[in-house]
Amino acid sequence: MFKQALTKIPYGGDYNPDQWPKDIWDEDMRLFQLAGIDIATINVFSWALNQPDEKTYSFDWLDEVMDYLHKHQIKVCLGTGTAAHPAWMAKRYPDVLTVDFEGRKRKFGRRHNSCPNSPTYRKYAREMVQRLAERYKAHPALLLWHVNNEYGVQCYCDQCQTAFQEWLQRKYGTLDALNTAWNTRFWGHMFYDWDEIVLPNRLSEHIDSRRPEVTVFQGISLDYTRFNSDSLLDCYLLERDAIKAVIPEAIVTTNFQSNGTYKPLDYFKWAKALDVVALDCYPTNDMPMSHTAMRHDLMRGLKDGMPYMLMESCPSQLNWKPQNPLKRPGITKLWSYQAIAHGADSVMYFQLRRSIGAFEKFHGALIDHAGHEHTRVFREAAELGKELERIGDRLLDSRIKTRVGLLFDWENWWAIDYSSGPSVDLNYLNEIQNYYDALYEQNIQVDLIGVDTDFSRYDLILAPVLYMVKAGLKEKLEQFVGRGGTFVTTFFSGIVNESDLVTTGGYPGELRHLLGIWVEEIDALFPEQKNTMVMVEELEGFKASYDCGLLCDLIHAEGAEVLAQYGQDFYQGIPVLTCNRFEKGQAWYVGTSPEPEFLKHFVRKLTQEKHIYPILNAPENIEVSVREKDGKQFMFLLNHNKERAQVILDSESQEDVLSGEAVSGRIEIPAKGVRILQLPI
């Protein structure tokens, strides 16, 4: 992942020495050494400091910091500083200011406040990055580049509207093609000139201020979302290319936010432009650990299994939630190792020293406002630092091998949420999570994959709520199943194409032949309503019936075997679970959202038929993961329980990587504790 040879997993985080007097710097270095800190992200929000006016650039402070960190053997993740434009720029060039969803032009303030299609913003961002690259291209402390920060703004200004019109011309070529894709004859929306097209927001196509995703023209809103993701990606590419023009071998990235499932940006598309994926992960105390695990697996899946960076996490409490409880003892280490267990090759925090003012002054940090090492948080972080030093490079660039893929697609997510039916309760992330949980709870590792991933690496692919079937996906899935793979999809799948136009002839549209069914109607249940899935015949490991709800597809079998039927309502006896034998493989359809117990039994059946088994039979809430490198396997045992737990190892003797001891048989894992075992070859 890193072109420089590293001797251990990088450990550090965001550091803002420019916010502190220099007499604090020496104390920071002393504390960093105690904690094992060896990487610092700097200059992330320093545009105004580096460029106090239009013509003046001042990097003396940054020169000093770069040299100072190098002197203390700390590598630098160098930010470009472009995540917040200076006040002088907003004053002189108001085109850099964004317009919000309600149509209001914002003033200077916050961050992520720059219009991605502003010529002024792009001009000065490129020039800033070029100057930084030329200045620090040979600096020995420089390890990688951090472009901007947590991209995510959505802008509805006139220059974005013009750019959107140009984007549409490139995509569709003709207005006839656009009008067809958007079905503009509905409500007389035909466009006869490109400049007639306006951005979809609260002033045009969106009709509910309480639910901004409600749009009367899904095709327009869907294309705007694609355009906005592309516009921000263009800004990233502008900076990345400016760096690589000076330093071709530079490692360049940006950090993905919202624990990796940030809705407005298509991270599968973005990942292709990053040298390494970088995640900002901030789980809350009440978040199920399977939710965090899934997002780590998604980050690994973005670049086909390549390790990623944990760019930001929090060593203590958050500050932006309604309530921000402390992390309990052991949690920082446990969650850091969870990231490593799922493919992270770094552990980094925001922030290394707690700010004394503004929005993040109560956000957790390695060095608290007390300013010394005699705190619980520092002691725990320093303990982790020592352990990472002990592990060394044994885990660096190791990989996770799995035969199960869980399909995740941002455009599918957008289209589902823009849909005007059938139920506001349909949540794509929740349905993905439900299937992930069934695998996670049985300690079966899984890759979250995109539609462009090579399916041949997998024996089992699950694609819950595959509402949108993109061009070529039907053929790709048929090839996968035809070669002997097992494919699973669910209700509300195969409905539309990439333009959100319904594929007529019966749901699931293009997947009908593969699945051997057609769906006549879709019933939307109220939240308190339930139906049942009644098994047609007794299957080993299954109950006779299960609860289900949310949506219920009314299915006709066309060659598929019926394994369960609805137990209630006017469609009692209609198929709800089917399996179609397609050439050498199987294609399953689950016509509703089942209770978790069904999914657990269902996934167990599917995996066992493919000879895919849990890594280890472990007690509840013991998470197990394996990374491999150079013919060696490293098994992580993560105890998410409040009490100590015991597991029985399959082999006689294994090395505990953290202690160096040989262990065998029944071993104990402390409450909120971790064991990393090197398995015998």
Side-chain angles (χ1 to χ4, degrees), residues 241-278:
D241 292 348
I243 293 168
K244 287 187 178 284
V246 178
I247 319 169
E249 70 280 6
I251 301 169
V252 186
T253 190
T254 188
N255 48 338
F256 290 167
Q257 61 172 306
S258 294
N259 297 331
T261 48
Y262 181 63
K263 186 178 175 183
L265 302 185
D266 183 349
Y267 282 161
F268 271 106
K269 190 171 185 179
W270 275 66
K272 296 175 183 177
L274 273 59
D275 292 317
V276 58
V277 167

Side-chain angles (χ1 to χ4, degrees), residues 619-663:
E620 187 175 4
N621 295 322
I622 302 296
E623 180 179 350
V624 187
S625 181
V626 171
R627 292 181 65 164
E628 300 183 18
K629 177 182 178 182
D630 298 334
K632 300 174 183 177
Q633 292 187 326
F634 299 90
M635 182 167 65
F636 292 77
L637 301 172
L638 309 168
N639 184 6
H640 295 291
N641 295 293
K642 295 180 180 179
E643 304 82 23
R644 62 186 180 182
Q646 292 184 337
V647 299
I648 300 175
L649 302 178
D650 294 336
S651 56
E652 293 185 359
S653 181
Q654 303 175 17
E655 179 192 351
D656 186 320
V657 173
L658 297 180
S659 69
E661 300 173 344
V663 297

Side-chain angles (χ1 to χ4, degrees), residues 199-266:
L199 294 174
N201 66 353
R202 190 67 179 89
L203 302 178
S204 55
E205 307 298 352
H206 290 255
I207 59 176
D208 189 340
S209 59
R210 296 167 299 176
R211 293 177 55 219
E213 71 275 6
V214 177
T215 173
V216 297
F217 266 88
Q218 289 86 24
I220 300 176
S221 298
L222 183 58
D223 268 340
Y224 165 76
T225 308
R226 290 167 171 146
F227 157 77
N228 184 72
S229 180
D230 285 355
S231 294
L232 289 166
L233 179 55
D234 285 345
C235 289
Y236 168 80
L237 291 171
L238 177 146
E239 296 193 33
R240 183 204 68 177
D241 292 348
I243 293 168
K244 287 187 178 284
V246 178
I247 319 169
E249 70 280 6
I251 301 169
V252 186
T253 190
T254 188
N255 48 338
F256 290 167
Q257 61 172 306
S258 294
N259 297 331
T261 48
Y262 181 63
K263 186 178 175 183
L265 302 185
D266 183 349

Side-chain angles (χ1 to χ4, degrees), residues 402-466:
T402 175
R403 293 155 57 198
V404 182
L406 182 58
L407 193 64
F408 189 95
D409 182 46
W410 259 266
E411 294 189 0
N412 186 60
W413 182 9
W414 299 335
I416 288 170
D417 280 6
Y418 282 140
S419 173
S420 55
S423 172
V424 69
D425 298 317
L426 174 57
N427 184 301
Y428 180 59
L429 276 183
N430 286 350
E431 296 305 316
I432 294 286
Q433 188 73 56
N434 290 341
Y435 280 80
Y436 182 89
D437 286 353
L439 293 156
Y440 174 87
E441 290 168 7
Q442 298 175 72
N443 284 314
I444 296 173
Q445 292 181 292
V446 57
D447 287 343
L448 268 78
I449 61 176
V451 295
D452 294 331
T453 301
D454 178 6
F455 290 174
S456 67
R457 306 207 310 252
Y458 303 97
D459 294 315
L460 171 63
I461 291 178
L462 304 103
V465 200
L466 189 59

Side-chain angles (χ1 to χ4, degrees), residues 259 281-286 289 292 310 312-318 320 324-336 347-350 354 363-365 376-377 380 384 672:
N259 297 331
C281 189
Y282 293 105
T284 55
N285 287 26
D286 59 350
M289 281 299 94
T292 312
L310 179 60
E312 290 184 20
S313 58
C314 184
S316 182
Q317 66 192 138
L318 306 177
W320 62 80
N324 295 283
L326 295 173
K327 284 185 178 179
R328 270 41 189 175
I331 291 296
T332 295
K333 281 179 58 177
L334 178 63
W335 290 0
S336 297
V347 175
M348 299 172 69
Y349 301 128
F350 180 86
R354 213 169 199 176
H363 189 287
R376 177 181 66 88
V377 171
E380 186 171 327
L384 175 58
K672 305 299 181 183

Side-chain angles (χ1 to χ4, degrees), residues 15-18 22 25 29 40-43 59-72 74 76 78 136 139 141:
Y15 181 47
N16 299 293
D18 48 304
K22 291 182 183 178
W25 296 9
M29 295 305 111
T41 302
I42 61 173
N43 196 52
F59 298 111
D60 290 348
W61 77 274
L62 190 53
D63 292 345
E64 189 173 3
V65 170
M66 292 285 288
D67 293 343
Y68 192 77
L69 291 172
H70 177 61
K71 176 183 175 183
H72 291 86
I74 294 176
V76 169
L78 184 58
Y136 300 111
H139 200 286

